[in-house]
Amino acid sequence: MPQRRDPFGSALAAIRHQLIVGQHAPGAPLSITELARELKLSPTPVREALAHLAGEGLAEERRGQGFFSPQLDSERLVEMFDLHRLYVSAALAAPWRLVENSEDLGAGEGGFEPDVGDAARRLFSCLVGRARNETLSIAYQRIAERLAPIGRAEIRAGLQDVAVVAEMTDRLRVGDQAGLAELLGAYYGPRREAASELVKALRSARPREYIPDIV
């Protein structure tokens, strides 16, 4: 079997995906040994990938203990929602062109994705992209990835606000920046209020079996 040309890139992409989809519960240990076995890679690129992800805030490195999925409590989650809103608001304040068609938002025939959480992520990503600010885009992408695992918990908490996301999509499509800005409160408010419930839902997910690293 030919050796992979970029084991670091493979490890980075695979572990990033696991963290974004919530495969690891908040605070769960990320075993280099187990991940290397699972990804059929040597420990070195896995360790390097985890160190890289720790630099982005998608993982945590604890001296003498190894790597972990980021800890999360309601206060930190509220701060993350507020930071996400700050970046979206900054993008709204920048000059941007109209959305020419539904495909720009990844929308389907009904106007937007049936998965409202996915529709909102596409909408915000589309909006930030139109600000044409690379620094803002990078910062936004990082907080969006850290919030991504919350999506399933939002569904269980009944935060699939179809009407709000649909109206935001319409406002973006016609270039109504002021109207869209007013709707942000209706989107973020319920999430801030449900922060404790969302964290509890994430923690209740079945943890992966932990295999300690061999030092």
Side-chain angles (χ1 to χ4, degrees), residues 75-175:
E75 183 177 354
R76 182 178 295 189
L77 181 55
V78 168
E79 291 174 351
M80 290 166 64
F81 281 135
D82 289 345
L83 185 58
H84 189 279
R85 180 173 181 173
L86 181 65
Y87 291 152
V88 170
S89 297
L92 269 173
W96 45 284
R97 65 180 176 82
L98 298 181
V99 177
E100 297 177 357
N101 55 56
S102 297
E103 291 181 359
D104 288 339
L105 293 172
E109 295 180 359
F112 56 91
E113 293 285 340
D115 182 338
V116 179
D118 186 57
R121 287 189 290 274
R122 289 175 182 270
L123 183 148
F124 290 137
S125 179
C126 173
L127 192 158
V128 171
R130 277 159 176 69
R132 295 183 175 86
N133 183 321
E134 184 176 356
T135 301
L136 176 61
S137 294
I138 293 172
Y140 167 80
Q141 182 63 27
R142 288 189 176 181
I143 193 63
E145 288 182 346
R146 291 183 64 188
L147 281 171
I150 305 296
R152 293 180 182 177
E154 289 180 350
I155 295 174
R156 291 195 290 271
L159 292 176
Q160 291 289 79
D161 29 24
V162 178
V164 173
V165 174
E167 188 170 356
M168 286 196 299
T169 302
D170 290 340
R171 297 293 178 90
L172 178 58
R173 187 173 290 116
V174 300

Side-chain angles (χ1 to χ4, degrees), residues 25-26 72-78 80-81 147-161 187-205:
L72 187 64
D73 55 30
S74 58
E75 183 177 354
R76 182 178 295 189
L77 181 55
V78 168
M80 290 166 64
F81 281 135
L147 281 171
I150 305 296
R152 293 180 182 177
E154 289 180 350
I155 295 174
R156 291 195 290 271
L159 292 176
Q160 291 289 79
D161 29 24
Y187 179 82
Y188 290 103
R191 285 163 172 75
R192 296 178 89 258
E193 294 175 4
S196 295
E197 183 180 350
L198 292 172
V199 170
K200 188 179 299 183
L202 279 180
R203 288 177 177 170
S204 65

